[in-house]
């Protein structure tokens, strides 16, 4: 059995680890990364890097490499690849599972401002604060470039490229983050508003608790749409259980000798 995991997330790496430890030797796992970050965190098993060339390219890859199951474990904001995965799986009849971490939900004392895009987040900011903790990643910073009256602490894995806000300090870092560390950043830089995508997951959630404690508002960018229907798992462990089912179904379907 050959499993292709579309990755770039903590969950995808965790699934590759589970697969390496739990599945028999005749199961081959390939993780696919877009190659956006300079220092890749490689999962166990085989790894390929770079785009496929759209849904048709992905379908061709599935056929050429005789893939038996496809897992879309990409980030909730990676909308294009998820639709490509759904199209390619339908065209090749390869079983597809989407591994999607649940979104965050506001708790007691949270002051959340949901928005539909980075542009909408930028429009909301001047009414909410002056010193912004910007954690939406290095892509799409152009949306905030015109906000000259605001100061930004922008955190990302790799350095951003212009256009970006004129008054911005860049903090290169990668999760998981701690509540203590986030609290300290808010205090030291006197941050008075947080901007985040609704990425979900534990690794970057401590900023939300720190914002609540500090009593500062949070602009939350809602998730883009995902393909409708199809199998979905919310944890790597459940994805593994789905794969076991797919594998035993496949074994049963093979003609006996
Ligand atoms: N967007 C975020 O906020 C975010 C945050 C953390 C991690 N990531 C990870 O970074 C990667 C890129 O994100 P994005 O928002 O640029 O995605 P995207 O907009 O959905 O994808 C753009 C193109 O990048 C290629 N691609 C994306 N993920 C790939 C993968 N796992 N393997 C091979 N090719 C891939 C595909 O190129 P082709 O059409 O040529 O196949 C896709 O059409 C994703 O894998 C995602 O899991 C994204």
């Amino acid at each position: 059995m050959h499993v292709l995991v579309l990755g770039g997330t903590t969950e995808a790496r965790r699934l590759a680890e589970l697969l390496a430890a739990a599945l028999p030797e005749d199961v081959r796992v390939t993780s696919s990364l877009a190659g956006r970050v300079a220092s890749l965190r490689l999962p166990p098993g085989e790894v390929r890097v770079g785009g496929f060339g759209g849904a048709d390219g992905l379908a061709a890859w599935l056929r050429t490499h005789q893939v038996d199951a496809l897992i879309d474990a990409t980030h909730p904001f990676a909308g294009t690849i998820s639709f490509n995965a759904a199209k390619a799986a339908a065209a090749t009849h390869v079983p597809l599972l989407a591994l999607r971490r649940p979104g965050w939900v506001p708790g007691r004392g949270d002051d959340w401002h949901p928005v539909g895009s980075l542009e909408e987040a930028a429009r909301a900011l001047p009414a909410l604060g002056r010193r912004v903790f910007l954690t939406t990643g290095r892509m799409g910073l152009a949306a905030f470039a015109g906000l000259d009256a605001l100061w930004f602490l922008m955190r990302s894995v790799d350095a951003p490229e212009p256009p970006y806000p004129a008054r911005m300090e860049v903090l290169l870092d990668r999760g998981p983050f701690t509540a203590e560390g986030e609290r300290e950043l808010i205090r030291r830089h006197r941050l008075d508003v947080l901007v985040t995508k609704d990425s979900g997951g534990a690794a970057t959630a401590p900023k939300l608790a720190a914002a609540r404690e500090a009593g500062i508002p949070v602009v939350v960018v809602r998730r883009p749409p995902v393909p409708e229907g199809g199998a979905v798992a919310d944890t790597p462990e459940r994805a593994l259980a789905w794969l076991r089912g797919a594998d035993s179904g496949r074994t049963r379907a093979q003609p006996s000798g």
Side-chain angles (χ1 to χ4, degrees):
M1 188 191 200
H2 185 192
V3 181
L4 177 64
V5 179
L6 302 173
T9 57
T10 309
E11 288 75 11
R13 215 172 34 253
R14 173 78 187 130
L15 178 61
E17 286 165 8
L18 287 175
L19 288 169
L23 286 182
E25 276 176 13
D26 58 349
V27 175
R28 178 181 161 204
V29 180
T30 305
S31 293
S32 175
L33 303 173
R36 293 276 190 283
V37 293
S39 56
L40 294 175
R41 272 186 182 171
L42 293 182
E46 296 172 41
V47 178
R48 67 163 299 287
V49 181
F52 296 93
D56 292 345
L58 177 54
W61 203 97
L62 296 176
R63 287 194 191 96
T64 309
H65 295 84
Q66 300 180 339
V67 172
D68 300 295
L70 175 62
I71 306 227
D72 171 19
T74 57
H75 191 271
F77 280 78
T80 311
I81 188 75
S82 291
F83 280 93
N84 289 353
K87 275 190 211 148
T92 55
H93 305 288
V94 170
L96 167 69
L97 175 80
L99 170 51
R100 293 199 193 109
R101 51 172 100 138
W104 290 317
V105 282
R108 210 184 162 87
D110 276 327
D111 177 17
W112 283 17
H113 299 255
V115 294
S117 64
L118 293 178
E119 289 70 23
E120 207 185 315
R123 283 196 294 277
L125 274 178
L128 294 172
R130 284 283 170 277
R131 298 181 64 83
V132 185
F133 190 9
L134 187 55
T135 63
T136 50
R138 72 190 168 104
M139 310 300 283
L141 292 181
F144 304 93
L147 297 173
D148 293 342
L150 309 189
W151 182 86
F152 291 83
L153 178 68
M154 200 289 299
R155 182 170 66 194
S156 61
V157 176
D158 287 319
E161 285 168 17
Y164 46 62
R167 302 173 62 220
M168 181 176 91
E169 182 174 324
V170 176
L171 174 61
L172 296 182
D173 205 353
R174 166 187 248 164
F177 301 106
T178 64
E180 198 181 325
E182 303 293 54
R183 223 178 276 135
E184 173 58 15
L185 279 181
I186 290 174
R187 192 196 60 76
R188 181 159 25 106
H189 295 280
R190 294 176 286 114
L191 302 168
D192 58 12
V193 58
L194 165 69
V195 186
T196 180
K197 292 174 174 171
D198 178 14
S199 298
T204 58
K207 62 188 169 188
L208 301 170
R212 184 186 315 132
E213 279 173 35
I216 68 173
V218 183
V219 180
V220 182
V221 184
R222 282 189 292 265
R223 294 180 170 196
V226 287
E228 286 186 17
V232 180
D234 58 358
T235 62
E237 289 71 16
R238 291 199 173 113
L240 178 66
W242 179 86
L243 265 177
R244 284 190 202 279
D247 190 28
S248 61
R250 204 178 123 268
T251 314
R252 271 201 309 276
Q254 275 172 6
S256 58

